[in-house]
Amino acid sequence: MYDCIIPAVPSVSWSSLIQHNQARPRSVVCLWLACQDHLATKVRLKRLGLMQSEQCSFCNEAPEDFNHLLIDCRICSVIWKDILQWLHIRHTPLNWMEEIKWLTSHTCGKGFKQNMLKLSIAEAVYALWIYRNTNIFDRNNVDDTNSVVRKKIAMIVQRGWMKPKHRSKLALLML
């Protein structure tokens, strides 16, 4: 009966990033919104007629969409790149859609690296979004990007530590 009432919708390629992610629920929801391109970036707000300027609130060099914030912005992109470096992953992000494809292909399975990568992208996207919002709405309390990265790595370790089988590998990353 349920199948008759609810129409079948095609599965999205990035659903594996959301499912069974150990990140905080708020981080997973933020990642879900980012994957759908539904975060309220300045480009999206201008398209909806709610904003006049679409310039990045950090560098003022390009329109602020999520691709710019995560990958192209010289100030914000440091967050994701530093977390990847902490995980000992050599990867240069190209654009957000390509990053989703890369993440989806590298998070298949239930291993330590796959779990940490899923957890890390969710926490990084959330950290970036909070960093952006703090910069716009509360400029007096903006941390530097190094502080944001340190806090996110601490959160990743805390969330990853919940699985006892990951503790020894997390301890090696913390050295």
Side-chain angles (χ1 to χ4, degrees), residues 75-87:
I75 298 168
C76 293
S77 64
V78 172
I79 294 171
W80 180 229
K81 290 173 185 171
D82 283 357
I83 290 174
L84 282 173
Q85 183 180 355
W86 176 76
L87 288 169

Side-chain angles (χ1 to χ4, degrees), residues 27 30-44 47 54 56 62-73 76-77 79-80 93-97 99-100 103 121-130 132:
S27 301
C30 193
L31 176 61
W32 177 69
L33 289 169
C35 287
Q36 295 184 67
D37 196 24
H38 280 20
L39 286 174
T41 59
K42 287 186 175 181
V43 167
R44 188 160 194 263
R47 189 174 54 225
E54 61 182 23
C56 176
E64 182 193 270
D65 59 359
F66 194 71
N67 183 65
H68 174 75
L69 285 174
L70 185 71
I71 295 165
D72 296 332
C73 182
C76 293
S77 64
I79 294 171
W80 180 229
L94 301 172
N95 67 47
W96 178 234
M97 287 301 136
E99 195 68 7
I100 290 174
L103 286 162
I121 187 60
E123 291 295 339
V125 165
Y126 183 69
L128 180 67
W129 194 245
I130 293 299
R132 176 243 185 221

Side-chain angles (χ1 to χ4, degrees), residues 20 26 33 39 47 50 58 65 86 89 98 100 114-115 126 129 133-134 146 156 164:
H20 308 293
R26 68 181 80 173
L33 289 169
L39 286 174
R47 189 174 54 225
L50 300 171
F58 289 101
D65 59 359
W86 176 76
I89 296 175
E98 291 298 318
I100 290 174
Q114 290 85 355
N115 285 332
Y126 183 69
W129 194 245
N133 287 340
T134 304
N146 292 331
I156 292 166

